[in-house]
Amino acid sequence: MGDSGRYTDYIISTYQRFSGFPVEVDLQGNVLTTLPEAVGNMQHLISIDLSRNKLRVFPERLTDVSSLKHISVEGNQITELPMEKLSLMPALKSVDVRCNLLTPEAASVPHHFTLLT
């Protein structure tokens, strides 16, 4: 496992110790190609920054976290967004997808949150 994997594991284990409090996770610039499955179980997660990684696919597991307010995947290689699933997230306020390879149709579904493109 590389340094970014150990760092990610550290973040998740730290979260599990404080799992009753609102949590913001910053994993920017870690060369991640996927999101660890455990992040989808972080039910007090309110913000996650996955900018400047190597994600090619939007981590749909995030749409299972109903407490999420802010998601940043800026500067990755994502081409499509799960807009219908994102639109069902009750707390979501913003999704930053700037500097990705999004198709023109990627943001075509009506949504209640701010989409930064």
Side-chain angles (χ1 to χ4, degrees):
M1 181 183 304
D3 288 340
S4 64
R6 282 193 288 272
Y7 177 71
T8 303
D9 289 343
Y10 170 76
I11 293 289
I12 292 169
S13 67
T14 300
Y15 165 79
Q16 290 169 342
R17 282 184 268 154
F18 298 101
S19 64
F21 301 95
V23 174
E24 297 181 13
V25 173
D26 184 349
L27 295 173
Q28 64 178 313
N30 278 290
V31 197
L32 297 175
T33 57
T34 61
L35 185 68
E37 286 294 316
V39 173
N41 298 324
M42 300 173 114
Q43 292 306 311
H44 296 285
L45 182 64
I46 60 169
S47 178
I48 188 161
D49 188 346
L50 296 166
S51 58
R52 297 186 314 278
N53 278 291
K54 301 289 182 192
L55 299 172
R56 293 179 183 263
V57 176
F58 185 90
E60 284 195 46
R61 188 85 168 107
L62 293 177
T63 62
D64 295 333
V65 184
S66 61
S67 58
L68 256 175
K69 294 180 180 181
H70 306 284
I71 300 171
S72 178
V73 291
E74 176 186 0
N76 281 279
Q77 300 162 6
I78 297 169
T79 58
E80 295 182 24
L81 297 173
M83 290 300 290
E84 291 170 0
K85 289 183 178 182
L86 289 168
S87 294
L88 296 175
M89 296 176 69
L92 192 61
K93 294 182 192 262
S94 69
V95 180
D96 187 345
V97 294
R98 292 176 290 177
C99 300
N100 276 283
L101 306 170
L102 293 174
T103 61
E105 303 83 34
S108 61
V109 173
H111 49 279
H112 64 276
F113 52 88
T114 301
L115 184 65
L116 302 172
T117 56

